[in-house]
Amino acid sequence: MSIATRLTELGIELPEVAAPVAAYVPAVVHGELVYTSGQLPFASGALPATGKVGAEVTAEDAKGYARTCALNALAAAASAAGGVEKIGGVMRVGGFVASDPSFTGQPGVINGASEVLGEIFRDAGQHARAAVGVTVLPLDSPVEVEVTFVLV
């Protein structure tokens, strides 16, 4: 099944590629891989929330934002690679969670990204991963996700 068909089946429409907020490009193709820059959970050009997870932002909301980040990463990768059908799977996910000092649920938050990529790519969506708690992220975003995709 094609990735475009799978996205339709799941009711997922990829967003427009988010404009960079600094001096970088959203994704770069190198060899058989597409590396995405860290993606924030922009939806319609705006962050849905700001602040620390475990304080101003709930873990459940942050998990949804991580899902949005992963879809933004897929959109960036598809744009750089020449279309979503050029993306064959996922190699690695790096997730960053702006965390209240007492919050330790970073893996559960980044599951939002991992789970949607698994739904889309099935077995080819299995990947290595890091889920890291940080003090602050750009624009006070609660979550940031970067993904390394494999080309077909």
Side-chain angles (χ1 to χ4, degrees), residues 7-102:
L7 289 168
T8 300
E9 183 179 274
L10 293 169
I12 296 172
E13 185 174 330
L14 289 182
E16 293 293 319
V17 177
V21 298
Y24 61 89
V25 295
V28 174
V29 175
H30 181 76
E32 300 295 318
L33 301 173
V34 182
Y35 299 89
T36 69
S37 295
Q39 299 291 312
L40 302 180
F42 283 117
S44 301
L47 289 177
T50 58
K52 307 292 182 276
V53 180
E56 300 88 2
V57 179
T58 68
E60 192 60 32
D61 284 347
K63 181 178 179 181
Y65 303 149
R67 179 184 190 279
T68 300
C69 291
L71 295 175
N72 287 343
L74 180 54
S79 178
V84 73
E85 295 305 330
K86 304 279 185 164
I87 308 298
V90 182
M91 179 172 282
R92 183 181 184 283
V93 170
F96 305 92
V97 181
S99 302
D100 179 82
S102 65

Side-chain angles (χ1 to χ4, degrees), residues 74-129:
L74 180 54
S79 178
V84 73
E85 295 305 330
K86 304 279 185 164
I87 308 298
V90 182
M91 179 172 282
R92 183 181 184 283
V93 170
F96 305 92
V97 181
S99 302
D100 179 82
S102 65
F103 182 74
T104 60
Q106 292 84 4
V109 169
I110 302 305
N111 278 349
S114 294
E115 290 169 1
V116 74
L117 293 169
E119 290 170 10
I120 294 166
F121 291 99
R122 297 184 177 161
D123 287 345
Q126 295 182 8
H127 53 271
R129 188 180 92 172

